[in-house]
Structure formats: structure tokens, C-alpha cells
Amino acid sequence: MENQKQQVKQLCTDFRLSAIAADLDEIVSTAETEGIGYLELLSRLLKTEQLHRQQRDESRRMKSASLPRNSDLSLYEAKRNGLTDRRLAALRELNWIDQLFNLVLMGPSGTGKTMLAAGLAKDAVKAGYHVYFRTMEEIVSTLKTRDFVRSQTAEYKKMLRANLIVIDDVMLFPLEKNVAVSFFNFINQIYESTSIIVTTNKKPTEWAKMLEDEVIATALLDRILFRCEVINLTGESYRMENRKTFLDK
């Protein structure tokens, strides 16, 4: 019996079925106690491997997404920022990703734009989507250097493979004309195959000033807003309300 188990474990290792190899003794022992049939035993073994691979893949996708620390929507106070629980629940169903809709989260600093975007991105990772979360500055840096820096070439390819791209703090700083063109070309390349979440404290009417080109701004907004839900978040800044100090202690 033990020799057979060792042979099975070796075969599992050869076929890269690491979870079955690791849990074989326990599963076989339980099967013997319960007196289950061969098909049920086989089913349990394969489900063990399936669960292990799903968890491993999710862990890899989560690492690749590079989500910020605060990405747990169970802690998100939707009503505080003018978002109803019903609307938040609809967003968390993630149907809009399959339909290639975009989200534009607008509002003053501290109203939860990044946390909402990160939380939806985390939900998407757990649902099996490939997600890419970066700031506008990081996206621009990748676009500038992808042709001659190997690591940035890999980053760019990762961006193109994503089902959902989150671009945080869009238009926080003005862009030079050549950078604005590169950013437009990137959005133009992905908008028909990838859902995009944009967070910004600038109204669309202000984008032309930040891009220093009304034509590019109009074309960029045309692609982002074509299939899009615009959500205006309101309220006082969470950071200012919860500001910490050490001098008063």
C-alpha cells in the first residue's frame, strides 16, 4: 500500500499535480473510512488540485495587479461619498467588465475614489479577471520607456493583456504634448478590448488644459466616455477628518 502511494505521489510530481501529492495520504485515509467509490475518490483528488491552482492563480493575479493597501470594500462607506448601497452592489457584480464599460470616478481629494477603484479591482481579481492598477504617472513612465527598458516592455505587455486597467489620479499634473499623444495612443489601442477605471479630481472640461491640447482631450474623452458610467463622489476629505498628529500626545 505504501509503495503504491509513493508511486502515485511520484506520478503526481511528474505531472505537476502538487496538491494531490501533498494531500494524498489524508484524502485516501478519509476515503477508506467513508468507504467511497473510485469515482468519488478521483473527484476529490482532482478538486483538491483544482482548488490549489485557483488559489495560486488568484495569488499571482493579485500580485500582478499591485493594488494599494486599502482595497477592502467591506470597509468602504458608500453613503458617506454620495454612492448608494444599491449602486455599489451593482458595480460589484462586475457585469460592466464583460460588457467593456468604463468607470470614471470623479470628486475632490479624499472622497474615496482610489479606495473604490481598488476595491472593485480586488473583486475583479477574485472573480478571475486580469487586473492592472497604476497611477497616471506610472502609466506615463511605462509609455515613455517601454521601447528601451526591458522591465517596462514587460509592464507594457502586461497592460495590454489586462481585462481591467485602473488609472489612478488622471490629470493630476499637466502633460507635455508628446506624452499626451502617447497616452491617447495607448487608450485608443485598448478601449475596445479592455475596461478602464479612471479616478480624477478634474472635470472632463478641464482635461484640455491639463493636456495642453483640446483636440487630444476631446478624442481621449470620446473613447473613455463612449461606454462609461460617470460617478461623482462627494463629501469631506476622509484624510482631513482623520488627520493624525504626534505633537498633541
Side-chain angles (χ1 to χ4, degrees):
M1 181 68 170
E2 288 302 318
N3 287 337
Q4 287 180 318
K5 284 184 180 179
Q6 290 304 317
Q7 289 176 0
V8 171
K9 288 181 181 180
Q10 184 58 53
L11 287 170
C12 287
T13 300
D14 293 343
F15 288 106
R16 299 182 179 179
L17 302 172
S18 58
I20 293 179
D23 294 348
L24 182 65
D25 291 339
E26 180 181 350
I27 294 173
V28 169
S29 177
T30 301
E32 290 174 342
T33 301
E34 296 178 0
I36 65 173
Y38 294 119
L39 284 178
E40 176 61 23
L41 172 60
L42 179 60
S43 175
R44 292 185 184 185
L45 290 169
L46 292 176
K47 285 179 179 178
T48 296
E49 186 65 34
Q50 180 188 46
L51 178 60
H52 168 73
R53 294 191 179 193
Q54 288 174 343
Q55 292 173 338
R56 181 189 61 193
D57 291 346
E58 180 182 307
S59 178
R60 288 175 177 172
R61 291 195 309 274
M62 198 69 75
K63 182 178 180 180
S64 177
S66 296
L67 302 180
R69 184 173 57 183
N70 295 326
S71 56
D72 186 355
L73 284 182
S74 66
L75 304 176
Y76 185 72
E77 301 176 56
K79 292 181 180 179
R80 183 180 186 279
N81 302 119
L83 185 65
T84 65
D85 290 336
R86 181 178 179 181
R87 200 175 188 192
L88 177 59
L91 291 173
R92 297 192 70 178
E93 290 178 1
L94 305 177
N95 295 328
W96 49 275
I97 297 179
D98 294 326
Q99 297 168 5
L100 295 177
F101 270 82
N102 303 323
L103 300 179
V104 173
L105 308 180
M106 289 196 305
S109 179
T111 52
K113 301 183 298 296
T114 298
M115 185 174 183
L116 177 56
L120 292 173
K122 186 174 183 178
D123 284 353
V125 170
K126 288 182 172 294
Y129 295 100
H130 292 277
V131 176
Y132 190 90
F133 188 110
R134 298 294 188 276
T135 64
M136 174 84 166
E137 186 177 7
E138 290 169 329
I139 295 281
V140 166
S141 177
T142 296
L143 295 177
K144 283 181 177 179
T145 59
R146 67 185 176 93
D147 290 331
F148 51 87
V149 178
R150 182 177 298 178
S151 61
Q152 293 302 301
T153 302
E155 278 292 295
Y156 183 71
K157 291 180 179 178
K158 191 187 297 183
M159 287 159 57
L160 296 182
R161 290 195 299 267
N163 305 116
L164 172 65
I165 291 181
V166 182
I167 310 177
D168 197 26
D169 290 331
V170 169
M171 303 304 160
L172 188 61
F173 304 106
L175 296 182
E176 297 176 357
K177 178 68 174 291
N178 63 320
V179 176
V181 170
S182 294
F183 184 65
F184 165 76
N185 288 335
F186 168 63
I187 296 298
N188 188 51
Q189 184 174 1
I190 68 170
Y191 85 99
E192 291 184 318
S193 59
T194 306
S195 286
I196 305 167
I197 298 179
V198 165
T199 76
T200 181
N201 60 8
K202 297 289 191 300
K203 297 178 181 178
T205 53
E206 300 177 81
W207 285 29
K209 183 185 296 185
M210 305 305 292
L211 293 173
E212 299 182 356
D213 191 304
E214 186 173 346
V215 174
I216 293 178
T218 300
L220 183 62
L221 286 167
D222 181 68
R223 283 151 180 78
I224 292 175
L225 298 177
F226 174 58
R227 298 172 63 84
C228 183
E229 187 75 23
V230 178
I231 299 174
N232 288 288
L233 299 177
T234 59
E236 299 298 323
S237 170
Y238 177 84
R239 298 186 192 93
M240 294 306 296
E241 284 188 3
N242 295 273
R243 186 176 67 88
K244 293 179 173 59
T245 181
F246 63 90
L247 293 178
D248 295 335
K249 294 182 179 180

